[in-house]
Amino acid sequence: HNNTFITCLVMTTMEPNGTSCEEWEEAHHLLFHLGNLSLLLGLVIPTTLTLHMILLRLMLMTGGCLFITWATLYRCNLDVMVWNVVFLLVNFMHFFYLVYKRRPIKIDRELKSVYKRMFEPLHVREALFQRLTGQFCTIQSLKKGQVYAAEDKTSVDDRLSILLKGKMKVSYRGHFLHNIYTNAFIDSPEFRSTQMNRGEKFQVTIMAEENCKFLCWSRERLTYFLESDSFLNEVFRYLIGKDITNKLYSLNDPTLSDKAAKKMERQPSLCSQVSMMQMRNSMGSTSDTDDILNQIHRGGSSGSSHRKSHHLPSSCDTIGPSVSV
């Protein structure tokens, strides 16, 4: 009896397991291998490629289509087909979203020049520029002789504008100070000098010398938007600083021709942290322009030497030797 029990036990342990492979099946159809190859190619796409996520989703979709074809025509396997249909739909939705995000953004014809000249060189994408200009700003116009701001009357807290077309003249008590040309901020000095002190009035008069169009932001909403986007905030700091410096050059030599002033906008520039309104007032009320600009030079240099930009080459550090005073 003991021998019979041992023999039965040995035979039981030697019975093949139902889950083990006794014989390997033949290789699957070519579609199965092409599907796996598509998945492999999608996974090895380097992330350094600009379109790597789109290519990944495209390869996953290709693999899913091949698996669906294989499961339907050659295996007649319903569950494999259904799962791959689900994967295909999920990847298609991701693919469509990624392609949609990269669609070409159509910038308003009147804003193309501003984008190309001011924002594109600073790597502001078209979609971000559209957000900046599409929600809380308007395009307004002035006829020749109309006033954008009147000294001691117009509040500086309401808006910030860029001139799109035409030319404006800045004066103080009837004395000409400088011109404002296309693709330049109209009221950048007031925007900078009143960031901490609100409720002030323009101390200069800005008048349209030609029929003008300008892009106008609500100052409060623009400030709130820039606070939520550090990159754009740095962009505006740089652009406003550069614009103020160009106005410094114009004040130093108000006889600059239109062509020379426009060429100056393309040159690297710095900016002063002092009140531009005070400078404009002083320039309009005295003939000793060299002394005033020297005073601004000394005040601006001491107050801004430690301000640096982490994202852009800031133009707001100091007024250096390049400013001809």
Side-chain angles (χ1 to χ4, degrees):
H1 294 290
N2 290 337
N3 292 337
T4 304
F5 175 75
I6 293 173
T7 302
C8 291
L9 181 61
V10 170
M11 291 178 63
T12 302
T13 57
M14 293 180 62
E15 287 181 1
N17 189 346
T19 60
S20 63
C21 297
E22 295 182 5
E23 293 183 4
W24 291 92
E25 295 183 3
E26 295 182 0
H28 288 298
H29 192 272
L30 178 63
L31 289 176
F32 176 81
H33 299 289
L34 290 177
N36 282 288
L37 181 61
S38 297
L39 300 184
L40 177 62
L41 291 176
L43 293 174
V44 298
I45 294 174
T47 57
T48 53
L49 290 180
T50 305
L51 302 176
H52 78 278
M53 286 302 298
I54 292 179
L55 295 175
L56 170 61
R57 294 296 175 178
L58 186 61
M59 297 308 298
L60 293 179
M61 289 168 55
T62 302
C65 291
L66 292 170
F67 282 131
I68 291 170
T69 305
W70 169 74
T72 303
L73 299 181
Y74 298 98
R75 295 296 294 179
C76 299
N77 196 319
L78 182 62
D79 53 350
V80 174
M81 184 195 72
V82 170
W83 275 112
N84 279 280
V85 167
V86 173
F87 295 148
L88 177 63
L89 292 176
V90 171
N91 282 294
F92 176 77
M93 288 188 290
H94 279 279
F95 176 79
F96 180 80
Y97 175 71
L98 292 171
V99 172
Y100 176 78
K101 282 177 63 178
R102 298 189 66 86
R103 73 193 187 281
I105 303 297
K106 187 177 181 180
I107 297 176
D108 191 288
R109 180 173 55 86
E110 295 178 311
L111 302 179
K112 279 185 178 180
S113 177
V114 171
Y115 176 71
K116 293 291 184 181
R117 286 286 302 277
M118 299 178 67
F119 291 91
E120 188 178 43
L122 300 179
H123 308 291
V124 177
R125 291 192 174 185
E126 293 175 335
L128 185 56
F129 180 74
Q130 189 180 55
R131 284 180 57 205
L132 177 67
T133 58
Q135 296 182 0
F136 44 85
C137 72
T138 57
I139 296 177
Q140 302 180 19
S141 60
L142 286 177
K143 293 183 179 180
K144 182 178 179 179
Q146 289 185 322
V147 173
Y148 174 85
E151 56 188 272
D152 298 326
K153 294 181 180 180
T154 307
S155 172
V156 301
D157 295 337
D158 296 335
R159 56 187 174 175
L160 176 69
S161 304
I162 296 177
L163 186 61
L164 301 176
K165 179 183 177 183
K167 182 173 73 172
M168 291 184 173
K169 178 181 70 174
V170 180
S171 60
Y172 174 75
R173 295 183 181 177
H175 297 282
F176 171 78
L177 297 182
H178 63 86
N179 287 320
I180 300 173
Y181 300 95
T182 304
N183 298 325
F185 285 95
I186 298 175
D187 42 8
S188 57
E190 287 75 20
F191 182 84
R192 171 61 59 82
S193 61
T194 59
Q195 282 181 324
M196 301 300 294
N197 301 316
R198 298 299 181 90
E200 295 189 26
K201 304 292 184 182
F202 274 88
Q203 297 181 21
V204 294
T205 296
I206 304 176
M207 179 183 296
E209 285 242 295
E210 303 171 357
N211 292 335
C212 296
K213 282 189 176 182
F214 57 92
L215 180 67
C216 182
W217 284 280
S218 163
R219 176 167 177 164
E220 182 178 356
R221 297 185 66 182
L222 175 63
T223 302
Y224 179 78
F225 181 77
L226 294 180
E227 287 175 353
S228 66
D229 193 310
S230 58
F231 171 70
L232 266 184
N233 191 37
E234 293 295 326
V235 168
F236 263 78
R237 283 183 58 200
Y238 175 81
L239 289 175
I240 289 175
K242 179 180 178 181
D243 186 79
I244 291 174
T245 305
N246 290 338
K247 289 177 171 56
L248 279 170
Y249 277 103
S250 298
L251 282 167
N252 192 30
D253 187 2
T255 62
L256 284 175
S257 65
D258 291 3
K259 185 176 181 180
K262 291 177 180 178
K263 183 179 179 181
M264 184 180 64
E265 291 179 2
R266 302 187 183 97
Q267 298 174 348
S269 54
L270 305 170
C271 75
S272 172
Q273 298 292 335
V274 299
S275 172
M276 283 292 298
M277 289 192 298
Q278 294 175 3
M279 182 191 66
R280 280 174 164 171
N281 295 344
S282 300
M283 292 296 293
S285 59
T286 180
S287 60
D288 193 3
T289 57
D290 289 342
D291 290 344
I292 293 162
L293 284 173
N294 279 320
Q295 182 181 358
I296 292 166
H297 178 202
R298 291 193 298 270
S301 298
S302 62
S304 57
S305 60
H306 298 292
R307 296 177 67 103
K308 301 282 184 179
S309 170
H310 297 289
H311 302 283
L312 299 168
S314 176
S315 67
C316 299
D317 294 338
T318 181
I319 299 180
S322 60
V323 180
S324 176
V325 295

